[in-house]
Amino acid sequence: SRKEFAQFLSIALGSLAEVDTQVELLVRLGAINPRRSAEVQESVQHLRAGLLRLLRSVRTGEKNEP
């Protein structure tokens, strides 16, 4: 259902936030190059934007269902 899919997307957003946090920790520990970190964080931003657009679309569709 749309509601379940919206929940799935919300969980995916949370997981993406965890990835972002892990990358930041890796930078602080010196385990990842800051340049590589920036590349990963840019990808995270693009994925977050796409997930948010999809989530909004799914939730808007919920309101339009009979």
Short mmCIF file of all heavy atoms in Angstrom, two decimals:
data_model
loop_
_atom_site.label_atom_id
_atom_site.label_comp_id
_atom_site.label_asym_id
_atom_site.label_seq_id
_atom_site.Cartn_x
_atom_site.Cartn_y
_atom_site.Cartn_z
N SER A 1 0.83 -1.19 0.00
CA SER A 1 0.00 0.00 0.00
C SER A 1 0.88 1.26 0.00
O SER A 1 2.08 1.19 0.29
CB SER A 1 -0.91 -0.01 1.22
OG SER A 1 -0.19 0.27 2.40
N ARG A 2 0.26 2.38 -0.30
CA ARG A 2 1.00 3.65 -0.30
C ARG A 2 1.55 3.97 1.09
O ARG A 2 2.65 4.48 1.22
CB ARG A 2 0.12 4.78 -0.79
CG ARG A 2 -0.08 4.80 -2.28
CD ARG A 2 -0.91 6.03 -2.67
NE ARG A 2 -1.10 6.11 -4.09
CZ ARG A 2 -0.27 6.74 -4.92
NH1 ARG A 2 0.79 7.34 -4.45
NH2 ARG A 2 -0.51 6.77 -6.22
N LYS A 3 0.74 3.68 2.10
CA LYS A 3 1.16 3.97 3.47
C LYS A 3 2.42 3.16 3.83
O LYS A 3 3.35 3.69 4.43
CB LYS A 3 0.03 3.65 4.44
CG LYS A 3 0.32 4.03 5.85
CD LYS A 3 -0.88 3.79 6.74
CE LYS A 3 -0.57 4.19 8.17
NZ LYS A 3 -1.72 4.00 9.05
N GLU A 4 2.44 1.91 3.46
CA GLU A 4 3.61 1.06 3.73
C GLU A 4 4.82 1.54 2.95
O GLU A 4 5.95 1.54 3.47
CB GLU A 4 3.29 -0.39 3.38
CG GLU A 4 2.29 -1.02 4.32
CD GLU A 4 1.81 -2.37 3.84
OE1 GLU A 4 1.74 -2.60 2.60
OE2 GLU A 4 1.48 -3.20 4.70
N PHE A 5 4.61 1.95 1.71
CA PHE A 5 5.72 2.45 0.89
C PHE A 5 6.28 3.75 1.49
O PHE A 5 7.49 3.95 1.54
CB PHE A 5 5.28 2.65 -0.55
CG PHE A 5 6.40 2.98 -1.49
CD1 PHE A 5 7.58 2.24 -1.50
CD2 PHE A 5 6.29 4.04 -2.38
CE1 PHE A 5 8.62 2.54 -2.37
CE2 PHE A 5 7.32 4.35 -3.25
CZ PHE A 5 8.49 3.60 -3.24
N ALA A 6 5.39 4.61 1.97
CA ALA A 6 5.82 5.85 2.62
C ALA A 6 6.66 5.53 3.85
O ALA A 6 7.68 6.17 4.12
CB ALA A 6 4.62 6.72 2.98
N GLN A 7 6.24 4.51 4.62
CA GLN A 7 7.01 4.10 5.79
C GLN A 7 8.39 3.59 5.37
O GLN A 7 9.40 3.90 6.01
CB GLN A 7 6.24 3.02 6.57
CG GLN A 7 6.97 2.50 7.78
CD GLN A 7 7.15 3.54 8.86
OE1 GLN A 7 6.42 4.51 8.94
NE2 GLN A 7 8.16 3.35 9.69
N PHE A 8 8.42 2.80 4.32
CA PHE A 8 9.69 2.29 3.79
C PHE A 8 10.62 3.44 3.41
O PHE A 8 11.81 3.43 3.73
CB PHE A 8 9.43 1.39 2.58
CG PHE A 8 10.67 0.96 1.86
CD1 PHE A 8 11.44 -0.09 2.33
CD2 PHE A 8 11.07 1.63 0.71
CE1 PHE A 8 12.60 -0.47 1.67
CE2 PHE A 8 12.23 1.25 0.04
CZ PHE A 8 12.99 0.20 0.53
N LEU A 9 10.07 4.45 2.73
CA LEU A 9 10.88 5.60 2.33
C LEU A 9 11.39 6.38 3.54
O LEU A 9 12.52 6.85 3.55
CB LEU A 9 10.09 6.51 1.40
CG LEU A 9 9.75 5.92 0.03
CD1 LEU A 9 8.80 6.85 -0.72
CD2 LEU A 9 11.00 5.64 -0.78
N SER A 10 10.57 6.47 4.57
CA SER A 10 10.99 7.15 5.80
C SER A 10 12.15 6.41 6.46
O SER A 10 13.10 7.02 6.94
CB SER A 10 9.82 7.25 6.78
OG SER A 10 8.82 8.09 6.27
N ILE A 11 12.07 5.09 6.45
CA ILE A 11 13.16 4.28 7.01
C ILE A 11 14.43 4.47 6.17
O ILE A 11 15.54 4.59 6.71
CB ILE A 11 12.75 2.80 7.08
CG1 ILE A 11 11.64 2.63 8.13
CG2 ILE A 11 13.95 1.90 7.41
CD1 ILE A 11 10.95 1.28 8.10
N ALA A 12 14.27 4.51 4.86
CA ALA A 12 15.41 4.73 3.98
C ALA A 12 16.08 6.07 4.26
O ALA A 12 17.31 6.18 4.27
CB ALA A 12 14.98 4.65 2.52
N LEU A 13 15.28 7.10 4.53
CA LEU A 13 15.84 8.41 4.88
C LEU A 13 16.64 8.34 6.18
O LEU A 13 17.70 8.94 6.30
CB LEU A 13 14.73 9.45 4.99
CG LEU A 13 14.19 9.98 3.68
CD1 LEU A 13 12.88 10.73 3.90
CD2 LEU A 13 15.22 10.89 3.02
N GLY A 14 16.13 7.59 7.14
CA GLY A 14 16.85 7.41 8.40
C GLY A 14 18.16 6.68 8.19
O GLY A 14 19.20 7.05 8.77
N SER A 15 18.15 5.66 7.37
CA SER A 15 19.37 4.92 7.06
C SER A 15 20.39 5.80 6.36
O SER A 15 21.59 5.72 6.62
CB SER A 15 19.05 3.70 6.20
OG SER A 15 18.21 2.81 6.90
N LEU A 16 19.90 6.65 5.48
CA LEU A 16 20.78 7.58 4.77
C LEU A 16 21.43 8.56 5.75
O LEU A 16 22.62 8.88 5.63
CB LEU A 16 19.99 8.31 3.69
CG LEU A 16 20.78 9.05 2.63
CD1 LEU A 16 21.75 8.14 1.91
CD2 LEU A 16 19.84 9.70 1.65
N ALA A 17 20.67 9.00 6.74
CA ALA A 17 21.22 9.89 7.77
C ALA A 17 22.31 9.16 8.57
O ALA A 17 23.33 9.77 8.93
CB ALA A 17 20.11 10.37 8.70
N GLU A 18 22.12 7.88 8.81
CA GLU A 18 23.14 7.10 9.50
C GLU A 18 24.43 7.02 8.68
O GLU A 18 25.53 7.13 9.22
CB GLU A 18 22.63 5.69 9.79
CG GLU A 18 21.57 5.64 10.85
CD GLU A 18 21.07 4.22 11.11
OE1 GLU A 18 21.78 3.26 10.77
OE2 GLU A 18 19.97 4.09 11.65
N VAL A 19 24.30 6.83 7.38
CA VAL A 19 25.47 6.80 6.50
C VAL A 19 26.22 8.13 6.58
O VAL A 19 27.44 8.16 6.70
CB VAL A 19 25.07 6.49 5.04
CG1 VAL A 19 26.23 6.73 4.08
CG2 VAL A 19 24.56 5.07 4.92
N ASP A 20 25.47 9.21 6.54
CA ASP A 20 26.06 10.54 6.62
C ASP A 20 26.86 10.70 7.92
O ASP A 20 27.98 11.19 7.93
CB ASP A 20 24.95 11.59 6.52
CG ASP A 20 25.45 12.96 6.12
OD1 ASP A 20 26.50 13.04 5.45
OD2 ASP A 20 24.78 13.94 6.47
N THR A 21 26.28 10.24 9.02
CA THR A 21 26.94 10.31 10.32
C THR A 21 28.20 9.45 10.34
O THR A 21 29.25 9.87 10.85
CB THR A 21 25.99 9.86 11.44
OG1 THR A 21 24.85 10.72 11.44
CG2 THR A 21 26.66 9.90 12.79
N GLN A 22 28.11 8.26 9.79
CA GLN A 22 29.27 7.36 9.76
C GLN A 22 30.43 7.96 8.95
O GLN A 22 31.58 7.86 9.35
CB GLN A 22 28.88 5.99 9.18
CG GLN A 22 27.92 5.22 10.05
CD GLN A 22 28.50 4.86 11.40
OE1 GLN A 22 29.66 4.51 11.51
NE2 GLN A 22 27.68 4.96 12.43
N VAL A 23 30.11 8.60 7.85
CA VAL A 23 31.15 9.24 7.04
C VAL A 23 31.82 10.36 7.83
O VAL A 23 33.05 10.50 7.81
CB VAL A 23 30.57 9.76 5.70
CG1 VAL A 23 31.58 10.62 4.96
CG2 VAL A 23 30.14 8.59 4.83
N GLU A 24 31.02 11.15 8.53
CA GLU A 24 31.58 12.22 9.35
C GLU A 24 32.50 11.66 10.43
O GLU A 24 33.59 12.20 10.68
CB GLU A 24 30.45 13.04 10.00
CG GLU A 24 30.92 14.16 10.88
CD GLU A 24 31.75 15.22 10.15
OE1 GLU A 24 31.50 15.45 8.96
OE2 GLU A 24 32.66 15.80 10.79
N LEU A 25 32.11 10.56 11.04
CA LEU A 25 32.97 9.93 12.05
C LEU A 25 34.27 9.42 11.44
O LEU A 25 35.34 9.55 12.04
CB LEU A 25 32.22 8.79 12.74
CG LEU A 25 31.08 9.21 13.66
CD1 LEU A 25 30.30 7.98 14.13
CD2 LEU A 25 31.62 9.98 14.85
N LEU A 26 34.18 8.86 10.25
CA LEU A 26 35.38 8.37 9.57
C LEU A 26 36.35 9.51 9.28
O LEU A 26 37.57 9.34 9.41
CB LEU A 26 35.01 7.65 8.27
CG LEU A 26 34.35 6.29 8.44
CD1 LEU A 26 33.80 5.79 7.11
CD2 LEU A 26 35.33 5.28 9.02
N VAL A 27 35.82 10.67 8.92
CA VAL A 27 36.68 11.84 8.68
C VAL A 27 37.37 12.24 9.98
O VAL A 27 38.58 12.48 10.02
CB VAL A 27 35.86 13.02 8.11
CG1 VAL A 27 36.68 14.30 8.11
CG2 VAL A 27 35.39 12.70 6.70
N ARG A 28 36.59 12.31 11.06
CA ARG A 28 37.16 12.72 12.35
C ARG A 28 38.23 11.76 12.84
O ARG A 28 39.19 12.16 13.49
CB ARG A 28 36.06 12.83 13.40
CG ARG A 28 35.13 14.00 13.16
CD ARG A 28 34.09 14.09 14.23
NE ARG A 28 33.12 15.13 13.92
CZ ARG A 28 32.18 15.52 14.75
NH1 ARG A 28 32.08 14.97 15.95
NH2 ARG A 28 31.34 16.46 14.39
N LEU A 29 38.07 10.48 12.50
CA LEU A 29 39.05 9.47 12.91
C LEU A 29 40.23 9.39 11.94
O LEU A 29 41.18 8.65 12.19
CB LEU A 29 38.37 8.10 13.01
CG LEU A 29 37.34 7.96 14.11
CD1 LEU A 29 36.58 6.64 13.97
CD2 LEU A 29 38.01 8.04 15.48
N GLY A 30 40.15 10.11 10.84
CA GLY A 30 41.22 10.09 9.85
C GLY A 30 41.22 8.82 9.01
O GLY A 30 42.23 8.50 8.38
N ALA A 31 40.11 8.12 8.97
CA ALA A 31 40.03 6.87 8.24
C ALA A 31 39.57 7.05 6.79
O ALA A 31 39.59 6.09 6.02
CB ALA A 31 39.09 5.90 8.95
N ILE A 32 39.17 8.26 6.45
CA ILE A 32 38.73 8.53 5.08
C ILE A 32 39.24 9.92 4.68
O ILE A 32 39.30 10.83 5.50
CB ILE A 32 37.19 8.43 4.96
CG1 ILE A 32 36.75 8.50 3.49
CG2 ILE A 32 36.51 9.47 5.78
CD1 ILE A 32 35.25 8.26 3.30
N ASN A 33 39.60 10.02 3.45
CA ASN A 33 40.09 11.28 2.90
C ASN A 33 38.95 12.29 2.86
O ASN A 33 37.85 11.97 2.42
CB ASN A 33 40.61 10.98 1.48
CG ASN A 33 41.13 12.17 0.75
OD1 ASN A 33 40.51 13.22 0.75
ND2 ASN A 33 42.26 12.00 0.12
N PRO A 34 39.18 13.52 3.30
CA PRO A 34 38.12 14.53 3.28
C PRO A 34 37.52 14.75 1.88
O PRO A 34 36.34 15.01 1.75
CB PRO A 34 38.81 15.79 3.79
CG PRO A 34 39.91 15.28 4.65
CD PRO A 34 40.38 14.01 3.98
N ARG A 35 38.34 14.62 0.84
CA ARG A 35 37.83 14.78 -0.51
C ARG A 35 36.82 13.67 -0.83
O ARG A 35 35.76 13.91 -1.39
CB ARG A 35 38.95 14.76 -1.55
CG ARG A 35 38.43 14.98 -2.96
CD ARG A 35 39.45 14.75 -4.04
NE ARG A 35 40.62 15.59 -3.88
CZ ARG A 35 41.76 15.38 -4.51
NH1 ARG A 35 41.89 14.35 -5.32
NH2 ARG A 35 42.78 16.18 -4.34
N ARG A 36 37.16 12.45 -0.45
CA ARG A 36 36.25 11.32 -0.68
C ARG A 36 34.98 11.50 0.15
O ARG A 36 33.88 11.21 -0.31
CB ARG A 36 36.95 10.00 -0.31
CG ARG A 36 36.09 8.79 -0.54
CD ARG A 36 35.81 8.59 -2.01
NE ARG A 36 34.97 7.42 -2.17
CZ ARG A 36 33.91 7.37 -2.95
NH1 ARG A 36 33.55 8.40 -3.68
NH2 ARG A 36 33.19 6.29 -3.02
N SER A 37 35.15 12.01 1.35
CA SER A 37 34.00 12.28 2.21
C SER A 37 33.05 13.27 1.53
O SER A 37 31.83 13.08 1.56
CB SER A 37 34.46 12.86 3.54
OG SER A 37 33.39 13.41 4.26
N ALA A 38 33.59 14.30 0.93
CA ALA A 38 32.77 15.30 0.25
C ALA A 38 32.00 14.66 -0.91
O ALA A 38 30.82 14.98 -1.13
CB ALA A 38 33.63 16.45 -0.25
N GLU A 39 32.65 13.74 -1.62
CA GLU A 39 31.98 13.05 -2.72
C GLU A 39 30.82 12.20 -2.20
O GLU A 39 29.73 12.22 -2.78
CB GLU A 39 32.97 12.15 -3.47
CG GLU A 39 34.05 12.90 -4.21
CD GLU A 39 35.14 11.98 -4.74
OE1 GLU A 39 35.07 10.75 -4.52
OE2 GLU A 39 36.08 12.50 -5.37
N VAL A 40 31.06 11.49 -1.11
CA VAL A 40 30.02 10.65 -0.53
C VAL A 40 28.87 11.52 -0.02
O VAL A 40 27.70 11.23 -0.25
CB VAL A 40 30.58 9.76 0.60
CG1 VAL A 40 29.45 9.04 1.34
CG2 VAL A 40 31.58 8.76 0.05
N GLN A 41 29.20 12.61 0.66
CA GLN A 41 28.17 13.48 1.20
C GLN A 41 27.36 14.14 0.09
O GLN A 41 26.15 14.36 0.24
CB GLN A 41 28.77 14.50 2.15
CG GLN A 41 29.21 13.83 3.45
CD GLN A 41 29.90 14.75 4.42
OE1 GLN A 41 30.55 15.71 4.02
NE2 GLN A 41 29.76 14.46 5.70
N GLU A 42 27.99 14.42 -1.04
CA GLU A 42 27.25 14.96 -2.18
C GLU A 42 26.25 13.92 -2.70
O GLU A 42 25.10 14.24 -2.99
CB GLU A 42 28.21 15.36 -3.30
CG GLU A 42 27.51 15.99 -4.48
CD GLU A 42 28.50 16.44 -5.57
OE1 GLU A 42 29.67 16.69 -5.26
OE2 GLU A 42 28.06 16.53 -6.73
N SER A 43 26.69 12.67 -2.76
CA SER A 43 25.79 11.59 -3.18
C SER A 43 24.64 11.44 -2.19
O SER A 43 23.48 11.24 -2.59
CB SER A 43 26.55 10.27 -3.28
OG SER A 43 27.48 10.32 -4.32
N VAL A 44 24.95 11.54 -0.91
CA VAL A 44 23.91 11.44 0.12
C VAL A 44 22.88 12.55 -0.06
O VAL A 44 21.67 12.31 0.02
CB VAL A 44 24.55 11.49 1.53
CG1 VAL A 44 23.50 11.74 2.61
CG2 VAL A 44 25.31 10.21 1.83
N GLN A 45 23.34 13.76 -0.35
CA GLN A 45 22.41 14.88 -0.56
C GLN A 45 21.49 14.63 -1.75
O GLN A 45 20.29 14.90 -1.69
CB GLN A 45 23.18 16.18 -0.75
CG GLN A 45 23.83 16.69 0.51
CD GLN A 45 24.68 17.92 0.25
OE1 GLN A 45 24.96 18.30 -0.89
NE2 GLN A 45 25.12 18.55 1.33
N HIS A 46 22.05 14.10 -2.84
CA HIS A 46 21.24 13.81 -4.03
C HIS A 46 20.22 12.71 -3.74
O HIS A 46 19.06 12.82 -4.14
CB HIS A 46 22.12 13.40 -5.21
CG HIS A 46 22.89 14.52 -5.81
ND1 HIS A 46 22.30 15.58 -6.47
CD2 HIS A 46 24.22 14.77 -5.86
CE1 HIS A 46 23.22 16.43 -6.88
NE2 HIS A 46 24.40 15.95 -6.51
N LEU A 47 20.66 11.68 -3.04
CA LEU A 47 19.75 10.60 -2.69
C LEU A 47 18.65 11.09 -1.75
O LEU A 47 17.47 10.75 -1.91
CB LEU A 47 20.52 9.45 -2.02
CG LEU A 47 21.40 8.63 -2.95
CD1 LEU A 47 22.33 7.74 -2.14
CD2 LEU A 47 20.55 7.80 -3.88
N ARG A 48 19.03 11.92 -0.77
CA ARG A 48 18.04 12.46 0.17
C ARG A 48 16.98 13.27 -0.57
O ARG A 48 15.78 13.12 -0.33
CB ARG A 48 18.73 13.32 1.24
CG ARG A 48 17.75 13.86 2.28
CD ARG A 48 18.45 14.72 3.33
NE ARG A 48 19.37 13.93 4.11
CZ ARG A 48 20.69 14.19 4.21
NH1 ARG A 48 21.23 15.21 3.59
NH2 ARG A 48 21.46 13.41 4.95
N ALA A 49 17.43 14.11 -1.49
CA ALA A 49 16.50 14.95 -2.25
C ALA A 49 15.53 14.07 -3.06
O ALA A 49 14.33 14.33 -3.09
CB ALA A 49 17.26 15.90 -3.17
N GLY A 50 16.05 13.03 -3.68
CA GLY A 50 15.20 12.14 -4.46
C GLY A 50 14.21 11.38 -3.59
O GLY A 50 13.03 11.26 -3.94
N LEU A 51 14.68 10.89 -2.45
CA LEU A 51 13.78 10.19 -1.54
C LEU A 51 12.69 11.11 -1.01
O LEU A 51 11.53 10.71 -0.90
CB LEU A 51 14.57 9.59 -0.37
CG LEU A 51 15.38 8.34 -0.68
CD1 LEU A 51 16.31 7.99 0.48
CD2 LEU A 51 14.47 7.16 -0.99
N LEU A 52 13.05 12.34 -0.69
CA LEU A 52 12.06 13.30 -0.19
C LEU A 52 11.01 13.63 -1.25
O LEU A 52 9.82 13.71 -0.94
CB LEU A 52 12.74 14.57 0.31
CG LEU A 52 13.48 14.44 1.64
CD1 LEU A 52 14.30 15.69 1.92
CD2 LEU A 52 12.51 14.17 2.77
N ARG A 53 11.45 13.79 -2.50
CA ARG A 53 10.50 14.05 -3.58
C ARG A 53 9.54 12.88 -3.75
O ARG A 53 8.33 13.05 -3.89
CB ARG A 53 11.22 14.32 -4.90
CG ARG A 53 11.79 15.72 -5.02
CD ARG A 53 12.25 16.03 -6.43
NE ARG A 53 13.21 15.07 -6.97
CZ ARG A 53 14.52 15.15 -6.83
NH1 ARG A 53 15.07 16.16 -6.18
NH2 ARG A 53 15.31 14.23 -7.36
N LEU A 54 10.10 11.68 -3.72
CA LEU A 54 9.28 10.49 -3.87
C LEU A 54 8.32 10.34 -2.70
O LEU A 54 7.13 10.04 -2.88
CB LEU A 54 10.17 9.26 -4.00
CG LEU A 54 9.48 7.93 -4.25
CD1 LEU A 54 8.58 7.99 -5.47
CD2 LEU A 54 10.53 6.82 -4.41
N LEU A 55 8.80 10.59 -1.49
CA LEU A 55 7.95 10.49 -0.32
C LEU A 55 6.80 11.50 -0.38
O LEU A 55 5.65 11.16 -0.09
CB LEU A 55 8.79 10.71 0.95
CG LEU A 55 8.06 10.57 2.28
CD1 LEU A 55 7.41 9.20 2.42
CD2 LEU A 55 9.03 10.82 3.43
N ARG A 56 7.11 12.73 -0.77
CA ARG A 56 6.04 13.74 -0.92
C ARG A 56 5.01 13.30 -1.94
O ARG A 56 3.81 13.44 -1.74
CB ARG A 56 6.63 15.09 -1.33
CG ARG A 56 7.09 15.90 -0.16
CD ARG A 56 7.48 17.31 -0.58
NE ARG A 56 8.80 17.57 -0.02
CZ ARG A 56 9.92 17.74 -0.70
NH1 ARG A 56 9.90 17.74 -2.01
NH2 ARG A 56 11.06 17.94 -0.10
N SER A 57 5.48 12.74 -3.03
CA SER A 57 4.59 12.28 -4.09
C SER A 57 3.69 11.15 -3.58
O SER A 57 2.48 11.15 -3.84
CB SER A 57 5.40 11.79 -5.28
OG SER A 57 4.59 11.22 -6.26
N VAL A 58 4.26 10.22 -2.87
CA VAL A 58 3.48 9.10 -2.33
C VAL A 58 2.46 9.60 -1.33
O VAL A 58 1.30 9.20 -1.34
CB VAL A 58 4.42 8.05 -1.69
CG1 VAL A 58 3.64 7.03 -0.89
CG2 VAL A 58 5.25 7.37 -2.77
N ARG A 59 2.88 10.50 -0.45
CA ARG A 59 1.95 11.02 0.56
C ARG A 59 0.84 11.87 -0.06
O ARG A 59 -0.29 11.82 0.40
CB ARG A 59 2.72 11.83 1.60
CG ARG A 59 3.50 10.94 2.54
CD ARG A 59 4.19 11.73 3.61
NE ARG A 59 4.82 10.82 4.56
CZ ARG A 59 5.75 11.19 5.42
NH1 ARG A 59 6.16 12.44 5.45
NH2 ARG A 59 6.28 10.32 6.25
N THR A 60 1.15 12.61 -1.09
CA THR A 60 0.13 13.41 -1.79
C THR A 60 -0.88 12.47 -2.44
O THR A 60 -2.08 12.73 -2.39
CB THR A 60 0.78 14.30 -2.85
OG1 THR A 60 1.69 15.18 -2.20
CG2 THR A 60 -0.26 15.11 -3.59
N GLY A 61 -0.40 11.40 -3.00
CA GLY A 61 -1.29 10.41 -3.62
C GLY A 61 -2.21 9.76 -2.60
O GLY A 61 -3.35 9.41 -2.92
N GLU A 62 -1.72 9.61 -1.36
CA GLU A 62 -2.56 9.04 -0.30
C GLU A 62 -3.79 9.90 -0.09
O GLU A 62 -4.89 9.41 0.10
CB GLU A 62 -1.79 8.94 1.02
CG GLU A 62 -0.81 7.82 1.10
CD GLU A 62 -0.05 7.81 2.41
OE1 GLU A 62 -0.23 8.73 3.24
OE2 GLU A 62 0.74 6.88 2.60
N LYS A 63 -3.60 11.21 -0.10
CA LYS A 63 -4.70 12.14 0.16
C LYS A 63 -5.72 12.12 -0.98
O LYS A 63 -6.88 12.43 -0.78
CB LYS A 63 -4.17 13.55 0.36
CG LYS A 63 -3.32 13.67 1.60
CD LYS A 63 -2.70 15.04 1.71
CE LYS A 63 -1.74 15.08 2.89
NZ LYS A 63 -1.01 16.32 2.96
N ASN A 64 -5.26 11.77 -2.18
CA ASN A 64 -6.14 11.79 -3.34
C ASN A 64 -6.89 10.47 -3.55
O ASN A 64 -7.76 10.38 -4.40
CB ASN A 64 -5.35 12.12 -4.61
CG ASN A 64 -4.80 13.54 -4.55
OD1 ASN A 64 -5.38 14.41 -3.91
ND2 ASN A 64 -3.69 13.76 -5.22
N GLU A 65 -6.52 9.45 -2.79
CA GLU A 65 -7.20 8.16 -2.94
C GLU A 65 -8.58 8.22 -2.30
O GLU A 65 -8.76 8.88 -1.29
CB GLU A 65 -6.39 7.03 -2.28
CG GLU A 65 -5.17 6.65 -3.07
CD GLU A 65 -4.44 5.47 -2.46
OE1 GLU A 65 -4.91 4.92 -1.44
OE2 GLU A 65 -3.41 5.08 -3.01
N PRO A 66 -9.54 7.50 -2.87
CA PRO A 66 -10.90 7.49 -2.30
C PRO A 66 -10.94 6.78 -0.96
O PRO A 66 -10.19 5.98 -0.62
CB PRO A 66 -11.73 6.74 -3.33
CG PRO A 66 -10.81 6.20 -4.35
CD PRO A 66 -9.45 6.76 -4.10
#
